[in-house]
Amino acid sequence: MKISIRIDSVAAQAHLRRWGGEFREQVRKAVARAIATEATDIKQEVREHVAGKMAVAKKSFLKGFTAKVLAKDTKRLPALYVGSRIPWSGVHETGGQIGGRMLIPLHGRVGRKRFKAQVAELMRGGNAYFVKNAKGNIVLMAENIQEHERPLAGFKRRYRKAEGVKRIKRGADVPIAVLVPRVVMKRRLDVRRLVAGRVPRLAAQIESGLRRLA
């Protein structure tokens, strides 16, 4: 997202007409300082917004959202970057659809690598099978047997919590995951609106910094 800021201050415009040399470098530094002043608050607001709109399991997801000054190019004015280091986080801002058949863990979250390893272990042991439930969904099940106590432990714990049962009998079926043809991601974030709301304050900071160069 690109946001253009027009400075209407007569004094600021007069300085900009004197563009070049030492004054240009002073302007660059003043703009960078003004942006840096706002960047810290914007970063915090964005993280609070994400935490309020999503159930965040890992703090690293929140820390991926940042706001910082881009000022390495001396031929251009500094810019404010607001975004995330996590490439797929943008889907929560726009919404979207992920195609392809996927196994989605039931009754809670499981790390992708851990989930893959647990399912693979159950498959190798012949203790993972698909059934179609009353709603027509295809569900991956596993039998509660001693041989697979370790890979089943987490699934059983989350299943008991979700269903409100204290104990699962030996030999009982435990639902592991549901097989879906696609996943539809709803729009849950509005970082664009949040940042746009801070533009007037940012513009005022930049204008104030330029005025001090008079």
Side-chain angles (χ1 to χ4, degrees):
M1 176 178 63
K2 294 183 179 180
I3 299 175
S4 298
I5 301 174
R6 181 178 179 178
I7 301 173
D8 294 324
S9 167
V10 175
Q13 292 289 352
H15 282 310
L16 291 176
R17 283 193 292 271
R18 291 164 46 203
W19 197 257
E22 182 180 349
F23 181 72
R24 177 173 179 172
E25 183 60 23
Q26 291 176 355
V27 169
R28 284 190 68 259
K29 290 180 179 180
V31 172
R33 285 194 297 269
I35 294 176
T37 299
E38 291 299 305
T40 300
D41 290 342
I42 292 175
K43 176 175 65 177
Q44 184 61 30
E45 283 191 19
V46 168
R47 291 179 179 179
E48 289 176 356
H49 171 71
V50 175
K53 295 293 183 179
M54 302 178 64
V56 180
K58 293 184 178 181
K59 292 182 178 180
S60 58
F61 180 75
L62 285 180
K63 290 182 179 180
F65 289 86
T66 187
K68 60 184 179 181
V69 183
L70 301 181
K72 290 184 178 181
D73 189 348
T74 59
K75 297 181 180 179
R76 303 177 64 180
L77 280 173
L80 171 66
Y81 167 81
V82 180
S84 173
R85 295 190 296 270
I86 304 170
W88 49 263
S89 62
V91 72
H92 295 297
E93 176 81 11
T94 61
Q97 179 174 292
I98 303 174
R101 301 176 71 186
M102 287 170 284
L103 270 177
I104 307 298
L106 291 169
H107 312 303
R109 296 186 178 186
V110 187
R112 180 179 60 85
K113 292 182 179 179
R114 183 181 180 187
F115 176 65
K116 183 178 180 180
Q118 289 172 332
V119 171
E121 185 173 347
L122 292 171
M123 289 285 189
R124 285 195 301 269
N127 189 26
Y129 43 91
F130 289 99
V131 299
K132 183 177 288 188
N133 63 16
K135 295 181 179 180
N137 298 321
I138 299 176
V139 181
L140 180 65
M141 309 288 289
E143 187 179 358
N144 181 26
I145 56 178
Q146 182 65 38
E147 292 89 333
H148 290 121
E149 180 64 29
R150 186 174 60 84
L152 277 174
F155 295 113
K156 289 166 57 178
R157 182 179 65 254
R158 290 186 291 272
Y159 175 64
R160 289 198 307 269
K161 184 177 179 180
E163 296 297 321
V165 297
K166 294 183 178 180
R167 182 174 178 274
I168 301 175
K169 294 180 180 181
R170 287 296 181 190
D173 293 329
V174 179
I176 301 297
V178 60
L179 183 66
V180 298
R182 63 185 178 278
V183 174
V184 177
M185 306 290 289
K186 295 182 179 179
R187 181 183 178 185
R188 305 166 74 180
L189 303 178
D190 198 355
V191 175
R192 288 175 181 266
R193 178 193 56 78
L194 188 153
V195 175
R198 294 293 299 247
V199 168
R201 180 171 170 174
L202 176 59
Q205 285 281 8
I206 293 174
E207 184 174 348
S208 176
L210 294 178
R211 284 179 181 275
R212 287 195 289 270
L213 297 180

